[in-house]
Amino acid sequence: MKKNILAALLCTAATMAAAPASSEGIYLNSLLDTYEFHDIDPDFWTHQGQRAETIVESGEYLGSRAAEALHNKLGIGGATPESRGLFLAAAGLANWQFQQANAIVFGHEYLHFQYRDYFGYPDHYYLSDDGEEVDKGEGYLSALFTGHVGGTAFNVGPGNGKDPEKEILVKSAGLNWQMNYSEDWVRRNLRSGGNPLFSFPGYLYNRTKMFGYAMADDGGDPGSLEGDVEYMAHYYRDVMGIDADLDDIRLYSGLALLASPATWNVVSSMGEYITTGNLTMADPFFDAGGARFTWDVPTYLNAENMTLAPIAYVEVDGYVFGAGVELPVVGEGHHEYTMTAGRKWDHVSFQAEHSFAPDGGHTELQLGYDYNDHLGLELRHVQSSGESYRADRNNLYGEAVTIAGVNLRF
């Protein structure tokens, strides 16, 4: 195993070393970094998507471990199935609200800020429907209890005219970040053999957000648009000239949600917890003739189209390999192909991903070390070249960067 770990470390280090020196940067992904509303701080926003992953994943583990600790303290494992069902409902709801607030504030809303900052609107804050500013604390508490920050992510600035054909991504950035986070949750679940049961909102909340948002939007007239998804639907139809509407986004996001085995894995894991008290997600793989496999079907709202990104995974001797294609289902555009590989040992994990596009590509590498049950160290590398869907979503600034940080495991 030590040889395998060393090989993974060397492979990751070699790939990082191959990054273009002219654009390479090393960034400390500190959980203590904060943004004060109205500050002009472009450096803060450059890697917010990566910072948000660290914050939300740490919160995911914090919430799930707290639920587990309470489960053990109350002796729920030896209680009746009815008692476990009640505990799952209560603790699951509390954990859902907590993980929801983290994903909305640090992921969804802050990604709106990040993309607007990129396009030259650097003054950020929340503005309520009454025209009053909502401070950060109020916004977080509102997201904790209601699922939204009590206002709109508002941005002020002159604009810089950069990449005008991509500026619509400001509207879909939050939803795309949540979808990407749920995709990463699936990969963590596969390479670990099962995430903690009470981490389920990390997948279920973030994966259902696009479909739920689409169902809640009403597809109003261009002058009265409010929701992110109806903005995208209007843009596709009335600006891009695509023969599609809000119902198409509802259809494809709903079908993709149902077609993703992780959705049903979460449901079956809850049933298993009620029956047996098992605190780990059920085996995420299917078995057929000795082959272990599964798949995932995320959906994304890009500047020129909506895409499905189905990917198939197989497990071979503890390694998880994936191969997928991202293809337009609303609008037109190129196909993009993705290859992944990952593995988790006792304390070390790695994940490598590369997307191939006709005019570019995108690479992400992750190396993690769990120092103990409460603290994990991580090293990530992100780099892009040319044009690709995944680069626009995960590395809009186009920088090659190495990111070091910590994950909390309370």
Side-chain angles (χ1 to χ4, degrees):
M1 186 183 75
K2 290 182 178 179
K3 291 182 178 179
N4 289 333
I5 295 174
L6 180 60
L9 289 167
L10 291 174
C11 179
T12 304
T15 308
M16 289 178 177
S22 61
S23 58
E24 175 69 19
I26 296 182
Y27 163 66
L28 182 61
N29 199 3
S30 171
L31 297 177
L32 302 178
D33 287 345
T34 60
Y35 174 78
E36 296 300 326
F37 284 176
H38 303 293
D39 281 356
I40 309 301
D41 188 4
D43 291 340
F44 177 86
W45 297 110
T46 304
H47 308 296
Q48 176 58 30
Q50 300 293 331
R51 181 189 294 110
E53 285 190 29
T54 300
I55 293 172
V56 175
E57 185 180 338
S58 293
E60 178 184 304
Y61 276 87
L62 173 61
S64 61
R65 295 306 183 193
E68 288 180 13
L70 188 58
H71 163 99
N72 293 328
K73 184 174 181 62
L74 297 177
I76 300 296
T80 64
E82 290 79 10
S83 297
R84 283 193 292 270
L86 289 173
F87 182 81
L88 175 61
L93 176 60
N95 199 26
W96 178 282
Q97 298 299 117
F98 175 58
Q99 295 187 35
Q100 166 186 267
N102 293 332
I104 284 294
V105 171
F106 301 110
H108 188 110
E109 299 297 348
Y110 272 31
L111 261 290
H112 285 313
F113 288 161
Q114 180 195 37
Y115 274 60
R116 292 295 278 176
D117 206 89
Y118 175 84
F119 291 110
Y121 305 89
D123 184 358
H124 311 291
Y125 55 97
Y126 300 141
L127 192 67
S128 74
D129 293 339
D130 298 329
E132 299 292 331
E133 185 170 328
V134 180
D135 70 34
K136 290 194 303 179
E138 289 177 315
Y140 185 87
L141 289 175
S142 179
L144 185 64
F145 294 106
T146 70
H148 55 81
V149 296
T152 300
F154 206 74
N155 314 269
V156 179
N160 53 28
K162 187 189 297 184
D163 298 331
E165 72 282 0
K166 295 181 182 180
E167 193 165 345
I168 189 61
L169 289 172
V170 168
K171 294 298 181 183
S172 62
L175 292 170
N176 285 338
W177 182 90
Q178 290 188 258
M179 185 64 66
N180 185 77
Y181 184 88
S182 73
E183 191 175 359
D184 187 62
W185 187 98
V186 169
R187 291 175 183 167
R188 283 188 278 122
N189 194 44
L190 296 178
R191 65 178 181 259
S192 69
N195 287 335
L197 173 77
F198 284 96
S199 73
F200 73 85
Y203 171 80
L204 202 57
Y205 175 71
N206 290 294
R207 180 58 62 97
T208 59
K209 185 63 176 179
M210 185 181 295
F211 176 67
Y213 214 136
M215 294 303 295
D217 282 352
D218 60 14
D221 295 328
S224 61
L225 298 175
E226 294 183 0
D228 295 341
V229 179
E230 64 181 354
Y231 263 102
M232 296 303 296
H234 157 70
Y235 182 83
Y236 291 151
R237 183 186 66 238
D238 299 331
V239 178
M240 299 292 294
I242 298 170
D243 184 18
D245 57 23
L246 184 59
D247 285 337
D248 293 285
I249 298 178
R250 289 169 174 161
L251 174 65
Y252 287 114
S253 59
L255 289 176
L257 175 65
L258 296 175
S260 298
T263 303
W264 306 107
N265 181 250
V266 168
V267 174
S268 66
S269 297
M270 290 179 180
E272 186 174 328
Y273 171 79
I274 292 172
T275 303
T276 68
N278 185 15
L279 287 167
T280 303
M281 298 296 298
D283 186 351
F285 287 99
F286 298 99
D287 289 289
R292 287 171 56 76
F293 68 95
T294 189
W295 63 90
D296 190 27
V297 192
T299 56
Y300 292 99
L301 298 173
N302 304 301
E304 62 269 54
N305 54 38
M306 177 185 185
T307 52
L308 294 183
I311 182 167
Y313 296 102
V314 295
E315 183 189 58
V316 180
D317 295 330
Y319 291 88
V320 179
F321 299 99
V325 58
E326 183 169 351
L327 65 163
V329 291
V330 172
E332 298 180 354
H334 64 266
H335 289 190
E336 203 162 288
Y337 301 91
T338 296
M339 305 290 290
T340 73
R343 172 93 190 240
K344 187 178 190 312
W345 292 273
D346 289 340
H347 299 286
V348 176
S349 64
F350 87 94
Q351 176 73 38
E353 166 194 335
H354 184 75
S355 295
F356 303 85
D359 297 314
H362 178 74
T363 301
E364 294 190 27
L365 303 166
Q366 299 180 33
L367 186 63
Y369 175 72
D370 291 333
Y371 180 74
N372 55 36
D373 290 340
H374 308 298
L375 179 66
L377 308 177
E378 65 174 6
L379 194 65
R380 303 185 189 189
H381 183 77
V382 179
Q383 68 182 74
S384 308
S385 63
E387 297 289 331
S388 70
Y389 299 137
R390 203 166 285 268
D392 284 347
R393 297 190 300 259
N394 294 4
N395 190 24
L396 183 65
Y397 291 77
E399 294 187 356
V401 62
T402 300
I403 300 161
V406 299
N407 281 308
L408 303 180
R409 302 280 192 264
F410 290 105

